[in-house]
Amino acid sequence: MHSPSPRRLLLDAFAECLSVISTNNGYRTNVGADWTLEPRPGDATSTGVFTALIEKQQRAADAAQVQTHRLTTVAVIAKLPADTDHLQERLDDLVTDIEMAMSQKQRRFPPGFTYPVYLGMEPLMPESAAAGWVGVSVTYQSHIPK
C-alpha cells in the first residue's frame, strides 16, 4: 500500500480543522457534519456541501524551497441551505466559521508543511435566490513537500 501523497496529507489536515464546525462547538453553523473529501454534485437545497479541493500547484514562492516544496492552493467549498431572507447572513456565517476553524491550527499540519495562508473568499451564489442555498469558496496556500 502506498503512503499518502503530500496533497492528501494537506487535505487531511484541513479536514481535521474544518470538520469540527458545529453549533455545539461554538460555531454559527453545523456545516462540519457535511464534511467530505469526495464531493458529489448537488445544489445543496436539502443538505450542505463542505469540502476542500486542491485548486492548483506551482513552483515554490521561496527560492530556498524550489527543489523541495510546491506552493499548493486549496479551495474550501461550503454550501448551506438558506431562505431568500437570510442569504447574506448565512454567507457571513460560513466565512466566519471557516476562518475561525482555521485560525491558529499549525499543529494540525504535518512537519515540513507551512501553515495555510488565507488568499481570498468568493461567494457562490445560485442563479436564482429561490434556489434555496448560498455558498462560499475560501482559498488558502501552503508550501508542501514534493
Side-chain angles (χ1 to χ4, degrees), residues 96-117:
T96 299
D97 282 355
I98 291 167
E99 289 181 348
M100 189 165 82
M102 288 298 295
S103 178
Q104 305 300 314
K105 300 289 191 320
Q106 177 64 43
R107 69 186 182 281
R108 298 192 184 209
F109 288 81
F113 287 60
T114 59
Y115 181 73
V117 175

Side-chain angles (χ1 to χ4, degrees), residues 52-97:
L53 307 167
I54 300 293
E55 198 169 79
K56 68 179 175 178
Q57 278 194 300
Q58 57 200 86
R59 182 181 178 177
D62 181 359
Q65 293 182 315
V66 167
Q67 297 301 318
T68 59
H69 287 72
R70 294 286 181 253
L71 182 59
T72 305
T73 303
V74 174
V76 175
I77 309 292
K79 290 182 180 180
L80 282 179
D83 62 52
T84 56
D85 294 333
H86 297 98
L87 294 176
Q88 290 299 324
E89 180 182 343
R90 295 301 279 172
L91 178 68
D92 187 59
D93 289 346
L94 282 172
V95 173
T96 299
D97 282 355

Side-chain angles (χ1 to χ4, degrees), residues 115-131:
Y115 181 73
V117 175
Y118 175 89
L119 282 185
M121 180 278 289
E122 291 185 44
L124 303 174
M125 302 298 277
E127 289 188 25
S128 163

Side-chain angles (χ1 to χ4, degrees), residues 11-89:
L11 292 177
D12 287 346
F14 270 89
E16 193 175 335
C17 292
L18 297 169
S19 64
V20 302
I21 296 175
S22 75
T23 55
N24 288 340
N25 291 334
Y27 292 89
R28 297 174 182 208
T29 70
N30 288 309
V31 74
D34 298 314
W35 181 262
T36 180
L37 286 176
E38 297 298 334
R40 289 169 185 79
D43 64 4
T45 55
S46 60
T47 62
V49 174
F50 196 32
T51 192
L53 307 167
I54 300 293
E55 198 169 79
K56 68 179 175 178
Q57 278 194 300
Q58 57 200 86
R59 182 181 178 177
D62 181 359
Q65 293 182 315
V66 167
Q67 297 301 318
T68 59
H69 287 72
R70 294 286 181 253
L71 182 59
T72 305
T73 303
V74 174
V76 175
I77 309 292
K79 290 182 180 180
L80 282 179
D83 62 52
T84 56
D85 294 333
H86 297 98
L87 294 176
Q88 290 299 324
E89 180 182 343

